[in-house]
Amino acid sequence: MTNEHPQPPRRARTDPPSPATPRSPTAPASPTAPPLPSLTGSPFDSDTFTSATFVTVGRGPALALAGVWLLTRVGMLLLLLRDDLGIGGVAHEVDLYRHWYGQFANGTFPPGDVTWQYPPGAGLVIMAPGLLPSLTYFQAFVVLAFLADAVITLALARADSERVTHGAWYWVCGLPLLLHLPLARYDVHTTALAVLALLAVNARSTGAHQLGGALAGIGAMVKVWPALTLLGTPRGRTTREAWTAAVTAAVALVATLALFFSGSLGFLRMQGNRGIQIESLGGTALALAKAAGIWPGRVEFRYGSFEYVGPYASSLGHLALLLTVIALGWLLLWRVRARRWTPATPLDAAFAAVLLFTVTSRVISPQYMVWLLGLAAVCLTSRRTVMRPAALLLLPAAALSSLAYPVLYAEVLAGTPSGITVMVVRNALLLAAALLAARRLWTSTVTGPPSRPTEDQAD
């Protein structure tokens, strides 16, 4: 294998020796000796380490990544086929999707169905298994989930290819912490849109910015939160191109679906009626109060999930909405005050924004962890990211999420000490990750001297 680092030409034997020059105490022992490594920087910031790794190993990292992906995904599939961990029934959500598929076949969004709480673009994902008529709906849905997962992995691996970064590995090893749940929810599909949007917006060309914006707009019409991927786009041309494409794609998608299907906006009423889900931060507070005997509420199945019902539950739901508004206000203030943009800033801002919206939500379903793992993985494709500590906190949080559902979900519902403990620790990790991400985003972009204007900002 050829060496990518050319060697200096050898000195001819007839050349006169160079005169001796005094050496400083810190100078290397010989002209060809490598420089001393930095004791303060990360070894992964070394260009020599990066080049040497890929010259020596060649395709090794890619083959290793593919092998781990295959092994872990086979394990996830086997768990899905058995579907007997804890309370089981993880795959039953796909049966609900199949029911909705029948509604779409009749030309309407699910009429009067309180469990339909999604933007109209979600209908495209629900209808997508029909593109594989040779398979059952369940089989086709799982195949498409694997395809979305593979697209995310390939996109992250490509973003990692020229640097020793860890985004693809984080995703490949992090997603199985949620066991088989990702294969029975359409959140992997939505995460694929968000990941591709972020990577495209972070490219240099106008076409990439427009593509990223369009993907974010479509993703927002599938599950709202991908709109946050555009929060950190650099001011100037990139923001104009991406946001214009996002609005155009979103409006075009909604108009098209409204033309061919009735009831496309019915989800708004159902979403507005939701209460405090037992897995949310507010739900954990009520669980602790109930265990202490100071709150007399109960758990009911409402709007497709288990919620707490009783005194102050409605007020707590309004408080959660207020906190979400405050989080949005803080993010807008950050965008106005930010003075330094690096290639990692759009990635870090999207990750921090979705974390803040997650912890302030009335609902934290276990599949929300898929979004957070995907965005954390995108952050880790950049050496300039400041989100590594927050990303690491998500890994135990993901493992605890799968422990809470489906493994110990009966204990969570009953409010037993083990169930409450799992939820308290999981939600404490999420809250810590959100606060840490917000703090690091602010300190890395707002405080200190402003950066030099980029080409986009100069337009």
Side-chain angles (χ1 to χ4, degrees), residues 253-265:
L253 178 59
V254 171
T256 302
L257 290 173
L259 180 64
F260 291 100
F261 300 92
S262 61
S264 59
L265 300 180

Side-chain angles (χ1 to χ4, degrees), residues 93-322:
E93 190 83 2
V94 183
D95 295 332
L96 179 60
Y97 296 161
R98 182 172 54 190
H99 169 71
W100 289 338
Y101 179 85
Q103 301 292 327
F104 287 117
N106 293 327
T108 181
F109 280 78
D113 189 340
V114 296
T115 59
W116 177 259
Q117 301 156 6
Y118 310 108
L124 295 177
V125 182
I126 304 303
M127 291 184 281
L131 299 174
L132 303 174
S134 59
L135 303 177
T136 66
Y137 186 91
F138 178 83
Q139 293 169 341
F141 185 90
V142 173
V143 167
L144 293 178
F146 274 126
L147 179 61
D149 177 18
V151 168
I152 295 172
T153 303
L154 289 172
L156 293 171
R158 184 176 185 275
D160 279 337
S161 62
E162 296 179 359
R163 301 175 294 276
V164 179
T165 48
H166 309 87
W169 279 106
Y170 182 94
W171 170 258
V172 168
C173 298
L175 192 67
L177 294 175
L178 298 173
L179 304 179
H180 50 302
L181 179 79
L183 301 181
R185 301 293 186 272
Y186 77 85
D187 297 84
V188 178
H189 311 69
T190 314
T191 303
L193 291 172
V195 167
L196 294 176
L198 269 176
L199 294 176
V201 167
N202 225 29
R204 293 181 178 274
S205 67
T206 296
H209 300 162
Q210 293 172 339
L211 174 62
L215 290 173
I218 294 171
M221 291 300 100
V222 173
K223 216 161 189 180
V224 179
W225 68 267
L228 297 173
T229 57
L230 301 183
L231 182 71
T233 51
R235 298 188 187 103
R237 179 169 56 88
T238 300
T239 290
R240 292 194 298 270
E241 292 168 349
W243 290 16
T244 299
V247 172
T248 302
V251 171
L253 178 59
V254 171
T256 302
L257 290 173
L259 180 64
F260 291 100
F261 300 92
S262 61
S264 59
L265 300 180
F267 76 100
L268 293 173
R269 178 170 54 87
M270 304 305 174
Q271 186 63 244
N273 291 333
R274 298 199 73 168
I276 295 293
Q277 188 206 34
I278 63 173
E279 295 161 272
S280 66
L281 268 70
T284 299
L286 291 178
L288 289 171
K290 183 176 175 62
I294 60 177
W295 185 71
R298 64 189 185 279
V299 175
E300 286 188 3
F301 188 78
R302 305 171 61 213
Y303 299 100
S305 65
F306 287 98
E307 299 179 354
Y308 281 113
V309 178
Y312 310 113
S314 178
S315 299
L316 197 58
H318 294 150
L319 176 61
L321 290 174
L322 176 61

Side-chain angles (χ1 to χ4, degrees), residues 375-403:
L375 294 180
V378 177
C379 291
L380 294 180
T381 62
S382 174
R383 287 181 175 176
R384 305 290 297 275
T385 184
V386 297
M387 294 297 163
R388 290 186 182 89
L392 290 176
L393 287 177
L394 289 185
L395 296 177
L400 288 169
S401 294
S402 58
L403 186 61

Side-chain angles (χ1 to χ4, degrees), residues 1-7 50-61 63:
M1 185 175 294
T2 60
N3 194 333
E4 294 183 3
H5 301 280
Q7 301 294 326
T50 304
S51 300
T53 299
F54 283 96
V55 168
T56 303
V57 180
R59 293 188 178 183
L63 293 176

Side-chain angles (χ1 to χ4, degrees), residues 323-324 327 330-331 351-361 434-435 438:
L323 291 175
T324 300
W330 183 88
L331 289 166
F351 177 54
V354 175
L355 259 175
L356 288 172
F357 272 69
T358 298
V359 298
T360 59
S361 175
L435 295 177

Side-chain angles (χ1 to χ4, degrees), residues 22 30 74 125 141 165 174 204 238 314 322 327 338 343-344 357 409 418 425 430 445 451 456:
S30 65
V74 168
V125 182
F141 185 90
T165 48
R204 293 181 178 274
T238 300
S314 178
L322 176 61
F357 272 69
Y409 202 58
S418 59
V425 177
L430 286 181
T445 56
S451 61
D456 286 347

